[in-house]
């Protein structure tokens, strides 16, 4: 179905713009910014010209212009005029689409716009919807990561103007991933995948993404989070008897190969049937010489998932000793 001839629904246009459907309906009810043509029945269909007006509303409100004033500008009104004439679609200032995103899913653009406006409700709705529609892997690789990188590049090149945007966006990404992870946490018995950042590493989002993917695939896991002390990591391995341990390091300064080798050599279980875990060195901090025995360095989320799934497909998972 062509958007040009048939239009899109309110929900679809809201996701594209990074606002909630309630916001779109509010702008229509309060300021008259609505579809020029209505489909039969109660359903609204937004045509390209209608969407152009909404994009301009988003651009103006993102810069701090009050919605009522933004609506007057969008509709070509002067202050005090009850309605005024509508400006031809697409003739206003160029829309500020937020940070540059490249050729990625439309959800990226909507999420970036919502982040720039500090619209928490819209970010929560968008992130939940993209996970539901596309799954965790696609949501992480094609929407969350590109948007986070774009926002990060923007504040780095704009005198830190977008620091608050990146912090809020990161928090909502983390919330969405944890919500997805908790939906399946504890539902599966058996030796878990242990997820932990090395002691000096606090960057947890990639591990949270992996936890959400494992929950989505029905694989057991234990998430220990950021900066796990070496002694605590050792105790966690011995107590939980994991099939796989994933250690995240974002930078070479935080990677500890000695700790990774220690974990890979830790045995547990009954005498005569003791096992050791497979250790995955995840993150750019582990770049360098090939890892030793019992250690693997996956190239990304998908490869880590493939390795872990293969371990659980093998009835005798656990490397043995």
């Amino acid at each position: 179905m062509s958007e040009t001839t048939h239009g899109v629904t309110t929900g679809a246009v809201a996701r594209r713009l990074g606002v909630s459907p309630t916001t779109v309906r509010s702008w229509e009810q309060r300021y008259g910014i609505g579809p020029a043509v209505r489909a039969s029945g109660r359903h609204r269909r937004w045509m390209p010209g209608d969407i152009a007006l909404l994009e301009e509303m988003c651009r103006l409100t993102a810069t701090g212009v009050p919605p009522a004033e933004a609506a007057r500008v969008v509709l070509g009104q002067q202050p005090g005029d009850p309605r005024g004439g509508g400006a031809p679609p697409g003739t206003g200032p160029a829309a500020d689409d937020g940070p540059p995103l490249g050729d990625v899913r439309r959800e990226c653009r909507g999420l970036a716009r919502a982040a720039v406006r500090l619209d928490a409700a819209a970010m929560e709705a968008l992130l939940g919807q993209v996970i539901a529609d596309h799954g965790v892997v696609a949501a992480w690789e094609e929407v969350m990561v590109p948007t986070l990188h774009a926002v990060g590049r923007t504040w780095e090149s704009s005198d830190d103007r977008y620091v608050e945007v990146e912090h809020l966006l990161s928090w909502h990404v983390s919330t969405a991933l944890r919500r997805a992870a908790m939906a399946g946490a504890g539902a599966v018995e058996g030796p878990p995948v242990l997820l932990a950042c090395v002691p000096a590493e606090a960057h947890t989002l990639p591990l949270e993404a992996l936890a959400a993917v494992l929950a989505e695939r029905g694989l057991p896991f234990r998430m220990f989070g950021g900066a796990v002390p070496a002694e605590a990591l050792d105790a966690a391995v011995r107590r939980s008897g994991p099939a796989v341990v994933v250690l995240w390091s974002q930078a070479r300064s935080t990677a500890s190969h000695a700790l990774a080798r220690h974990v890979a050599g830790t045995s547990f279980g009954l005498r005569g049937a003791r096992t050791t875990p497979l250790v995955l060195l995840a993150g750019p901090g582990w770049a360098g010489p090939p890892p030793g025995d019992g250690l693997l360095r996956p190239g990304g989320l998908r490869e880590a998932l493939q390795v872990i799934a293969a371990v659980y497909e093998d009835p005798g998972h656990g490397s043995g000793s």
Side-chain angles (χ1 to χ4, degrees):
M1 180 180 291
S2 169
E3 293 183 7
T4 303
T5 56
H6 298 282
V8 297
T9 64
T10 297
V13 78
R15 289 193 295 272
R16 180 183 305 183
L17 297 174
V19 298
S20 68
T22 301
T23 297
V24 175
R25 297 188 188 102
S26 173
W27 287 348
E28 180 182 6
Q29 293 166 2
R30 295 182 183 181
Y31 313 120
I33 300 176
V37 178
R38 300 290 183 92
S40 59
R42 300 173 58 189
H43 298 291
R44 298 166 173 81
R45 307 296 297 190
W46 296 80
M47 306 301 288
D50 306 321
I51 296 172
L53 297 181
L54 290 176
E55 287 177 335
E56 182 65 2
M57 277 291 290
C58 289
R59 186 190 74 82
L60 291 170
T61 54
T63 63
V65 177
E69 179 62 26
R72 282 195 290 268
V73 173
V74 167
L75 295 172
Q77 298 173 232
Q78 297 297 320
D81 288 351
R83 271 286 296 173
T91 59
D96 178 4
D97 288 336
L101 293 168
D103 186 19
V104 293
R105 289 187 183 274
R106 283 177 175 170
E107 286 90 341
C108 284
R109 198 168 298 279
L111 183 59
R113 285 173 172 147
V116 169
R117 288 197 315 278
L118 305 182
D119 189 336
M123 280 189 280
E124 180 179 2
L126 284 163
L127 288 165
Q129 191 64 51
V130 76
I131 290 175
D133 289 347
H134 306 296
V136 176
V137 174
W140 172 251
E141 293 184 342
E142 300 181 37
V143 178
M144 296 176 183
V145 169
T147 308
L148 285 163
H149 285 176
V151 169
R153 288 195 302 270
T154 298
W155 74 254
E156 285 176 356
S157 61
S158 61
D159 297 326
D160 292 352
R161 281 179 49 221
Y162 284 87
V163 172
E164 73 284 1
V165 174
E166 185 180 39
H167 278 256
L168 188 64
L169 175 61
S170 296
W171 189 86
H172 279 282
V173 168
S174 175
T175 299
L177 292 171
R178 292 189 187 197
R179 185 175 289 121
M182 291 307 297
V188 182
E189 298 295 332
V193 179
L194 191 155
L195 307 169
C197 290
V198 292
E201 181 59 67
H203 190 87
T204 62
L205 279 181
L207 276 188
E208 292 170 27
L210 180 53
V213 173
L214 294 176
E216 187 178 60
R217 304 300 170 90
L219 296 173
F221 68 91
R222 300 289 183 272
M223 173 62 160
F224 288 86
V228 180
E231 297 82 1
L233 179 62
D234 181 69
V237 170
R238 295 179 186 279
R239 293 181 61 188
S240 62
V244 181
V245 176
V246 182
L247 298 178
W248 178 267
S249 172
Q250 182 72 15
R252 290 194 181 189
S253 60
T254 66
S256 173
H257 291 270
L259 177 61
R261 289 192 296 270
H262 172 78
V263 172
T266 301
S267 60
F268 43 79
L270 298 175
R271 181 172 297 182
R274 297 179 71 79
T275 62
T276 57
L278 174 65
V279 176
L280 302 189
L281 306 180
W286 300 105
D293 293 340
L295 304 169
L296 291 178
R297 191 165 55 215
L301 179 62
R302 291 177 187 269
E303 187 176 337
L305 179 61
Q306 290 173 355
V307 171
I308 292 169
V311 169
Y312 282 90
E313 288 169 3
D314 177 5
H317 57 248
S319 60
S321 63

